Amino acid sequence: MRKKVEREISAWIGRVAIACLLACSAQPAWAKGTGRIFVTNEKSSTMTVLDRNDTVVATVPVCARPRGIAFNRDRTALFLACGDDNAIGLYDIESFELKRLYRGMPDPETFALHPDGRHLLISNEDDSVASLLDTQTGEITARYPTGEEPEGVLITPDGHFAFVASEAANLVHVIDLQAKTVVKSVIVDTRPRRLALTSDGKQLWVSAELAGVVDIIDLATLELVATVPFLPKGLRKEQVTPVDVVMAQDGARAYVALGRANHVAIVEVASRKVLDYVLVGKRPWGLRLTADGKKLYVADGLSDDIVIIDTESLAALTSIPVGQVPYAILIDDE
């Protein structure tokens, strides 16, 4: 079984690499390009909207405990994970009105939109399941068992495979979406949270919150091959709790939110060396790069703000107050 899985993965990894050059870090080509920034605020159940000049233009009441956020395929609406409503909400991008509420989604946290633009793969935290939602019919078409507290979800650009991080089980589950089965569960370090694919499509980077590291999985073998540790000067190891990971569009750098350490780490992908740490607000966990890669937006969960980092100078430019416990960030740029 293992050799069969490895052969299948080797067969598509080249296609993923090509697709990743176009899709893994860049915003999709169908972006409307308004330059707006959307921030979900978990505690206040609101969404903060900023314009392209980083000015707050709206604070929108939304569903209860909004966490994960993504555009629909044509960028006319936003999907929100409504944790306390056990639902996925679809909001109009212009009026911010609720267009549709997909109920019966137990405690959704994060999700990924399939390249077909129709299906969402959702981590259901309390049910130890990743569910596949058909957004046209509103039906759940598949349920994939996971370990306890699934969170991070990533789908390969060709739509063949998906990866789901299970926080409490210390596993990353590999799902063959075509065969509709979990083909492997990879053991990683303590409390995996988020996932990022390198631009060549060959590695999966996984943040391990309580281990204070990012684990690297070789997708050709589905084996853990390296670990990147973090420790900003003056901090203790237990204060370093990595959460979100994003890759630069050119594939040269990775950015990692370090949680309780109140820093963002900048990592050189090729050497896996930490280049620098940037001080931000309290408990950074959500990250988002602009399409041109010049600015990194950081959601600081315990200081109720976002910080904007200039990725050339690696300086924090400004802090902008948002709602209570900001969780995720989405940018409408090309």
Side-chain angles (χ1 to χ4, degrees), residues 44-64:
S44 56
S45 296
T46 60
M47 179 173 65
T48 302
V49 184
L50 298 87
D51 64 17
R52 66 173 65 251
N53 298 314
D54 300 322
T55 300
V56 175
V57 295
T59 300
V60 183
V62 291
C63 54

Side-chain angles (χ1 to χ4, degrees), residues 15 64 69 82 90 114 121 139 198 206-207 210-211 217 289 308:
R15 299 195 302 273
I69 181 173
C82 311
L90 184 65
H114 192 280
L121 185 63
E139 299 295 322
T198 54
V206 184
S207 63
L210 297 187
I217 297 173
L289 274 168
I308 303 172

Side-chain angles (χ1 to χ4, degrees), residues 251-267:
R253 287 179 177 176
Y255 300 90
V256 184
L258 297 184
R260 291 179 58 200
N262 301 339
H263 283 76
V264 171
I266 296 87
V267 183

Side-chain angles (χ1 to χ4, degrees), residues 13-289:
I13 198 167
R15 299 195 302 273
V16 171
I18 294 172
C20 264
L21 291 175
L22 300 174
C24 285
S25 298
Q27 298 290 339
W30 55 74
K32 295 178 67 176
T34 63
R36 289 177 181 162
I37 301 98
F38 303 89
V39 184
T40 57
N41 303 304
E42 187 174 0
K43 186 71 172 178
S44 56
S45 296
T46 60
M47 179 173 65
T48 302
V49 184
L50 298 87
D51 64 17
R52 66 173 65 251
N53 298 314
D54 300 322
T55 300
V56 175
V57 295
T59 300
V60 183
V62 291
C63 54
R65 199 183 178 196
R67 295 187 285 182
I69 181 173
F71 291 112
N72 68 343
R73 185 176 178 85
D74 61 8
R75 296 269 172 142
T76 59
L78 302 159
F79 291 107
L80 296 185
C82 311
D84 286 352
D85 283 336
N86 297 318
I88 299 291
L90 184 65
Y91 288 83
D92 185 88
I93 199 171
E94 297 293 341
S95 68
F96 310 126
E97 293 181 357
L98 181 64
K99 298 179 65 174
R100 186 168 183 178
L101 192 64
Y102 301 92
R103 299 184 182 276
M105 311 291 158
D107 197 18
E109 182 159 3
T110 65
F111 52 79
L113 180 65
H114 192 280
D116 65 12
R118 176 170 176 168
H119 294 88
L120 286 180
L121 185 63
I122 305 161
S123 60
N124 300 119
E125 186 175 19
D126 287 347
D127 279 13
S128 301
V129 164
S131 55
L132 191 66
L133 170 67
D134 184 327
T135 61
Q136 290 186 14
T137 66
E139 299 295 322
I140 295 296
T141 61
R143 288 183 173 86
Y144 301 101
T146 67
E148 293 182 36
E149 299 183 28
E151 182 180 338
V153 180
L154 185 149
I155 299 176
T156 56
D158 64 355
H160 191 158
F161 285 86
F163 305 92
V164 179
S166 174
E167 296 180 52
N170 303 333
L171 296 171
V172 172
H173 306 284
V174 185
I175 302 171
D176 186 329
L177 293 175
Q178 293 184 3
K180 296 186 177 181
T181 187
V182 177
V183 295
K184 186 171 182 178
S185 294
V186 183
I187 299 174
V188 293
D189 281 298
T190 311
R191 201 169 177 83
R193 294 290 302 271
R194 304 290 174 81
L195 312 163
L197 201 61
T198 54
S199 61
D200 60 7
K202 294 182 178 180
Q203 297 175 353
L204 183 71
W205 287 39
V206 184
S207 63
E209 184 178 20
L210 297 187
V213 303
V214 162
D215 286 334
I216 300 175
I217 297 173
D218 181 345
L219 292 188
T221 62
L222 293 181
E223 299 291 340
L224 187 63
V225 295
T227 297
V228 180
F230 305 101
L231 191 60
K233 187 176 180 180
L235 295 180
R236 297 187 299 275
K237 189 176 186 299
E238 60 267 24
Q239 293 176 288
V240 182
T241 54
V243 181
D244 213 359
V245 184
V246 296
M247 294 284 173
Q249 185 173 346
D250 62 7
R253 287 179 177 176
Y255 300 90
V256 184
L258 297 184
R260 291 179 58 200
N262 301 339
H263 283 76
V264 171
I266 296 87
V267 183
E268 184 179 61
V269 171
S271 67
R272 301 166 182 165
K273 292 182 178 178
V274 178
L275 301 175
D276 206 348
Y277 296 102
V278 179
L279 179 65
V280 290
K282 294 180 181 179
R283 199 76 178 268
W285 42 38
L287 300 176
R288 193 74 174 190
L289 274 168

